[in-house]
Amino acid sequence: MPAAEEEMPVFVKKVFAWLGVAFLIFFVAFRPDGAAAMCQSIGVGLMAIFQGFGDFLTGVTA
């Protein structure tokens, strides 16, 4: 495979990463309430997942 074809996916990943960062900055700057609500939702979801793992491990060891 030529070197140019191998580098293309890396370039595309970098472009998408920078677009994601730009969107995040735009979202926080112009919709701070929505960004805060989204972060809170993600935090609540992660806590539920970890609580589920904790309950599972407690059940396995009991």
Side-chain angles (χ1 to χ4, degrees):
M1 201 147 92
E5 289 181 16
E6 291 176 5
E7 293 176 7
M8 189 60 171
V10 174
F11 174 73
V12 172
K13 287 179 187 178
K14 286 183 180 182
V15 168
F16 281 123
W18 281 109
L19 287 173
V21 169
F23 176 74
L24 181 64
I25 292 170
F26 174 80
F27 190 57
V28 170
F30 291 101
R31 301 277 311 222
D33 293 334
M38 184 179 67
C39 288
Q40 184 179 12
S41 302
I42 291 170
V44 168
L46 288 174
M47 288 300 295
I49 290 169
F50 290 129
Q51 182 68 42
F53 280 129
D55 292 345
F56 169 75
L57 292 174
T58 300
V60 169
T61 59

